[in-house]
Amino acid sequence: MDDVTDSGSAPLPASDRPDVAARLRDALLAASFTADGLLDLLGAPAYAALARSETVPALRATRGDTPLETLVRLLLLQQPVPHARVADVLPVEEALEAGWLARVGGDEVAATVDVRPYGGPEGEDWFIVSDLGCAVGGAGGIGRRNEEVVLGVGGASTTLAGITVRTPVASALDLGTGSGIQALHASRHATRVTATDVNPRALHITALTLALSGAPAADLREGSLFDPVRDDETFDLIVSNPPFVISPGARLTYRDGGMGGDDLCRSLVQQAGERLREGGFAQFLANWQHVAGEDWQDRLRSWVPRGCDAWIVQREVQDVTQYAELWLRDAGDHRGDPAEYQARYDAWLDEFEARKVRAVGFGWITLRRTGAQEPSVTVEEWPHPVEQPLGETIRAHFDRLDYLREHDDAALLEGRFRLTAEVVQEQVGLPGAEDPEHVVLRQHRGMRRATKVDTVGAGFAGVCDGTLSAGRILDAIAQLVGEDPVRLRDRTPAQIRLLVEQGFLEPAG
């Protein structure tokens, strides 16, 4: 791909010079310009301040002349650095020729893109390339910007990377790749990675991210949604952090979908089913409208394509004023003309009022292609803390769905189960009471769920170690509590199914 120069955007480094990218990578690693090295140099407070768009602590921590301090000021904090100093650390002439650096002032050089160290899941040292001013503080760090700008790593990017199922696959699709972080993750476990974006500048930057991170090149395609994908093309994994913001118009390419309301997210989900191979996963971040007189869960169920299981989790809800203010600040509008800010705020509220939108939800959508006659669709609200990465938890959720589909109540009672790791039992009641008011099982891993169970459920879960069948355990409990074992076998499978579905119990084989 040749250099890209969009109107109002700075030229980008050449993406067809892997030799230069490799030498730059070697120099960055030699200077410990890594995620760990950055944290060691800056310290936790200054490192955390970068996420808040505050650079002063990092600038104070990099006033020396070590190679690492030089690189942090040059590539991350966007400060001009004397040519001679950079020449001691980087192959400066090659970097200038390939467009990674540019001469400024008399004898100084400056970076043409942001480069942020990023630690991979297995300790890999990766580098995320983004447009100038986009590596620090995400969207909020650069104020008003060109609409084609390509952002670096943000909370949404890392959330999606953490929830993605990471099993080895033949093909993966990163739809709306941006700076290429999802394609970079997919390159670890997918034989072939395809990355698409409506913004050609994003595809160019993705190529730079992959090259500088030492990852294989991806198949880069320009276009919206699934337009760049051939009609006969399917994938084992589809991931997307799409431009999901529900806004009046499409002012900023990286976040505004350009369709009315939540239609972009709906279209993305509905079209994904036919692009998945059997057993394949599609995973998205999304926003959805809460419309007056409509159940938001029913709205999302209507999005799920035929032939797919779905697990949809709402993580957050904002009323329309909170939502508008969040994204107006994201665009830096609060720093500009107050009258223009008010006009844009009014336009946002007018849009929501016309659509009878009362709030906007944010969360995760996971689809899995299935041959089951009756696919399972779970839509739930879970705003509580979870343990990332969640990819294995999500994969196991769908494995348990398969198990429950294949086992009727009689087969369930013949099955053996184990209590999953780090589940604890809590008894809740008044101090000194002979019996608890209720018993709670609580997970300390994965989704970190908690669920109430009765004494039979608590006793059953406590005994499950994979050695006895569920039926034999219930027979023993019936004898202990003096209950008819037949009646206990009849009424307990529903509770066992819930404990399996929510991940408190797992089949033992």
Side-chain angles (χ1 to χ4, degrees):
M1 188 179 300
D2 296 329
D3 290 350
V4 174
T5 305
D6 291 326
S7 177
S9 299
L12 294 173
S15 61
D16 58 354
R17 293 293 305 275
D19 55 328
V20 177
R23 280 191 280 278
L24 282 174
R25 173 176 172 77
D26 290 342
L28 298 180
L29 295 177
S32 297
F33 186 68
T34 63
D36 289 341
L38 195 63
L39 181 59
D40 289 342
L41 172 66
L42 301 182
Y47 188 84
L50 293 176
R52 302 192 301 270
S53 309
E54 297 291 347
T55 59
V56 172
L59 288 168
R60 291 174 61 86
T62 56
R63 289 180 291 191
D65 288 327
T66 67
L68 180 54
E69 288 170 302
T70 298
L71 291 177
V72 171
R73 292 178 71 86
L74 176 69
L75 298 175
L76 188 60
L77 301 179
Q78 293 300 309
Q79 300 296 305
V81 176
H83 179 284
R85 185 71 199 99
V86 177
D88 291 337
V89 184
L90 297 177
V92 65
E93 297 306 324
E94 290 178 281
L96 285 165
E97 179 192 358
W100 289 91
L101 302 176
R103 295 184 183 275
V104 295
D107 63 348
E108 292 184 318
V109 297
T112 59
V113 288
D114 279 1
V115 177
R116 176 145 195 170
Y118 179 80
E122 300 297 329
E124 300 93 342
D125 290 315
W126 289 338
F127 301 98
I128 308 300
V129 180
S130 60
D131 267 316
L132 292 176
C134 295
V136 171
I142 57 178
R144 303 175 70 83
R145 62 184 76 84
N146 180 276
E147 64 181 18
E148 302 299 323
V149 74
V150 178
L151 298 186
V153 181
S157 302
T158 54
T159 294
L160 179 59
I163 68 172
T164 300
V165 175
R166 298 294 177 193
T167 53
V169 295
S171 61
L173 171 65
D174 176 14
L175 194 152
T177 187
S179 60
I181 181 174
Q182 308 307 328
L184 184 56
H185 276 278
S187 71
R188 292 183 59 251
H189 62 101
T191 303
R192 177 173 59 88
V193 176
T194 301
T196 72
D197 206 289
V198 69
N199 182 2
R201 191 174 182 85
L203 297 175
H204 190 111
I205 284 180
T206 291
L208 299 176
T209 289
L210 295 172
L212 197 60
S213 298
D219 179 4
L220 303 177
R221 306 181 191 176
E222 182 182 346
S224 176
L225 297 179
F226 289 99
D227 289 349
V229 178
R230 297 190 306 271
D231 290 342
D232 61 346
E233 202 169 9
T234 56
F235 301 88
D236 302 297
L237 175 67
I238 300 171
V239 292
S240 183
N241 176 18
F244 54 66
V245 175
I246 300 171
S247 61
R251 187 158 58 106
L252 300 174
T253 302
Y254 75 88
R255 71 167 204 194
D256 300 326
M259 297 185 185
D262 52 16
D263 283 354
L264 182 134
C265 291
R266 175 186 56 78
S267 298
L268 178 61
V269 174
Q270 289 180 337
Q271 294 174 26
E274 63 186 7
R275 302 298 185 180
L276 280 177
R277 294 175 183 165
E278 186 74 18
F281 286 91
Q283 298 186 265
F284 315 108
L285 301 185
N287 275 178
W288 44 79
Q289 298 172 148
H290 286 228
V291 179
E294 176 182 276
D295 187 313
W296 68 270
Q297 293 180 319
D298 289 342
R299 182 182 191 84
L300 288 171
R301 287 189 185 95
S302 73
W303 291 8
V304 178
R306 295 177 62 182
C308 287
D309 291 323
W311 185 15
I312 302 174
V313 181
Q314 179 167 275
R315 295 288 291 158
E316 184 180 359
V317 181
Q318 291 184 318
D319 67 48
V320 292
T321 60
Q322 292 174 311
Y323 189 80
E325 290 162 15
L326 169 67
W327 295 110
L328 286 165
R329 287 183 173 274
D330 168 84
D333 292 328
H334 62 301
R335 300 188 183 104
D337 178 16
E340 186 177 350
Y341 175 83
Q342 181 176 340
R344 285 182 168 156
Y345 201 149
D346 272 333
W348 224 302
L349 296 185
D350 286 345
E351 178 83 3
F352 285 136
E353 185 176 338
R355 295 179 178 276
K356 300 181 179 179
V357 176
R358 300 293 179 261
V360 178
F362 167 81
W364 318 324
I365 297 177
T366 299
L367 308 176
R368 186 191 60 166
R369 189 76 185 177
T370 178
Q373 290 187 345
E374 296 185 13
S376 169
V377 177
T378 300
V379 183
E380 62 176 322
E381 185 166 20
W382 189 254
H384 311 294
V386 299
E387 181 193 41
Q388 283 276 34
L390 270 174
E392 179 58 24
T393 297
I394 290 174
R395 185 202 60 76
H397 167 86
F398 288 93
D399 285 349
R400 293 192 301 270
L401 286 184
D402 286 340
Y403 177 88
L404 293 173
R405 260 197 296 250
E406 294 164 1
H407 291 74
D408 60 16
D409 286 356
L412 202 66
L413 293 175
E414 291 297 318
R416 294 176 291 112
F417 301 92
R418 281 190 299 265
L419 196 65
T420 51
E422 297 191 38
V423 172
V424 298
Q425 176 179 305
E426 301 172 358
Q427 296 188 6
V428 181
L430 294 174
E434 184 175 347
D435 296 311
E437 293 178 15
H438 57 265
V439 177
V440 173
L441 297 180
R442 187 178 302 277
Q443 301 168 346
H444 285 273
R445 305 296 301 272
M447 291 293 286
R448 293 177 174 165
R449 296 186 186 276
T451 189
K452 290 182 183 180
V453 292
D454 59 20
T455 54
V456 171
F460 179 86
V463 175
C464 284
D465 61 2
T467 58
L468 296 176
S469 70
R472 290 187 63 185
I473 293 173
L474 290 178
D475 290 343
I477 292 175
Q479 188 172 6
L480 285 173
V481 300
E483 188 169 341
D484 181 352
V486 174
R487 294 182 61 186
L488 193 61
R489 278 175 171 255
D490 285 343
R491 70 177 177 85
T492 306
Q495 190 170 186
I496 296 174
R497 286 186 181 279
L498 181 63
L499 292 176
V500 172
E501 181 181 346
Q502 294 190 343
F504 291 93
L505 297 175
E506 59 186 9

